[in-house]
Amino acid sequence: MILTLTANPSMDRTVTLDAALQRGAVHRATTTTTDPGGKGVNVARVLTAAGRPCTAVLPGTGSDPLLGALGALGVRYHAVPTAGLARTNLTVSEPDGTTTKINEPGTALTPDTVAGLTASVRELAQRAQWVVLSGSVPPGVDAGWYGELVAVVRETSARVAVDTSDAPLLALAAGFPRTAPDLIKPNAEELGQLTGRDGVSLEDAAAQGDPTPTVEAARILVEQGVAAVLATLGASGAVLVTDAGAWFATPPPITPRSTVGAGDSSLAGYVLADLDGADGAGRLARAVAYGSAAAALPGTRLPTPADVHVDAVPVRSLSLPGSSTLARHTS
């Protein structure tokens, strides 16, 4: 089983326009969709669609539309009682794939709810192979909570992945190596926050075919105890760095339609590949293939295995200093 935690889940409403968004103008939507969301929920949706047993842990009440939406999608969940309903996030999608997101802060969690979520992770992790801690933390939750949860999961045999940003990410890193997870999935900006690098420069270098600055930044985290760093670089691809080596993958040609859930899909693809016993290059190829598939889908749709083409993702091994080989991985 894979366990995901989403402390700040949402109902994600996507409005698709037939022209570029203009401030102050009146626009008419061509389509609107509403789906259950939040980073951990997205990971659970992708894993469930791939046929892997998965449980999404989240705060929720029986009357929350989010829980009904998860049930309708066949996503198994464990809801810890909370006072409010899930927030609503709005995404505006333009024809060229540009997406504008407006996210609500979320309902504050009481100490009892936070304690219930922690206890649920502790109990359910006993039967999990991976525990994925994803997304922002809502009001009322200490920024260092993810570090506490990593320590909780360390008491089990499960591996733990973290995908967050800003204060929770910096608080997690402040506790390395004690709070270092088995996998961390920063984007370029987040990797820059952690290592004092400029995220834009990391992406720009990768776009020119040079992932070295990203690899060097990721190695800082590996040296601090993180087992694997999956750094996603948008349209430039992604880098995976472990103590065994480093790899760089570029995405296949796609027509971008929405970036919603692309990073979450990449994380899900990595976990799926790891469960299948793939090596570093194979895990990175599956991650990039899933992320690219998500970006090619409209709105908040997330990829199924039928949407994913791992054999179209070239992976360059950077394992040995001064060497570079190109491999193509098939599904």
Side-chain angles (χ1 to χ4, degrees):
M1 183 187 71
I2 304 100
L3 189 69
T4 71
L5 171 70
T6 310
N8 206 9
S10 60
M11 289 298 289
D12 289 349
R13 184 171 179 80
T14 299
V15 177
T16 303
L17 305 180
D18 61 1
L21 176 67
Q22 297 183 33
R23 290 183 62 193
V26 175
H27 295 277
R28 299 192 183 279
T30 57
T31 61
T32 61
T33 59
T34 303
D35 293 292
K39 296 181 72 64
V41 167
N42 289 340
V43 172
R45 287 175 56 190
V46 175
L47 293 170
T48 299
R52 293 285 184 173
C54 183
T55 298
V57 175
L58 70 168
T61 65
S63 61
D64 197 325
L66 172 67
L67 302 185
L70 287 173
L73 291 174
V75 177
R76 185 167 54 189
Y77 63 84
H78 176 88
V80 174
T82 188
L85 301 179
R87 60 184 173 148
T88 297
N89 291 340
L90 176 64
T91 297
V92 179
S93 179
E94 301 176 49
D96 67 352
T98 300
T99 54
T100 302
K101 290 181 65 65
I102 303 172
N103 292 348
E104 294 183 358
T107 302
L109 300 185
T110 66
D112 284 346
T113 300
V114 175
L117 291 168
T118 300
S120 296
V121 170
R122 176 178 285 108
E123 177 185 352
L124 295 173
Q126 303 288 338
R127 304 189 297 275
Q129 293 172 282
W130 273 97
V131 176
V132 178
L133 312 174
S134 289
S136 62
V137 296
V141 179
D142 185 85
W145 186 45
Y146 278 152
E148 298 173 14
L149 289 174
V150 168
V152 166
V153 177
R154 286 268 180 254
E155 298 172 1
T156 74
S157 61
R159 283 160 288 175
V160 58
V162 179
D163 181 13
T164 188
S165 60
D166 300 322
L169 179 64
L170 296 176
L172 179 78
F176 291 170
R178 182 183 64 85
T179 60
D182 296 282
L183 173 68
I184 193 168
K185 196 213 72 62
N187 58 27
E189 179 183 358
E190 293 157 355
L191 183 59
Q193 288 178 345
L194 290 172
T195 60
R197 310 298 175 92
D198 178 60
V200 174
S201 297
L202 297 179
E203 275 200 26
D204 288 346
Q208 298 300 317
D210 180 15
T212 304
T214 300
V215 171
E216 292 175 346
R219 283 197 187 280
I220 294 173
L221 303 182
V222 172
E223 291 170 358
Q224 293 175 345
V226 178
V229 179
L230 173 62
T232 53
L233 303 168
S236 302
V239 162
L240 175 65
V241 178
T242 72
D243 60 1
W247 300 265
F248 174 51
T250 52
I254 63 166
T255 300
R257 303 186 69 181
S258 172
T259 58
V260 176
D264 307 325
S265 298
S266 293
L267 177 52
Y270 181 99
V271 171
L272 288 168
D274 180 78
L275 293 173
D276 288 339
D279 61 8
R283 297 195 302 273
L284 179 60
R286 189 94 66 98
V288 171
Y290 263 87
S292 299
L297 295 171
T300 51
R301 278 188 57 193
L302 296 174
T304 68
D307 301 310
V308 177
H309 305 286
V310 182
D311 57 347
V313 178
V315 180
R316 188 174 4 144
S317 173
L318 308 167
S319 301
L320 299 175
S323 70
S324 176
T325 57
L326 185 66
R328 189 171 296 275
H329 290 265
T330 58
S331 55

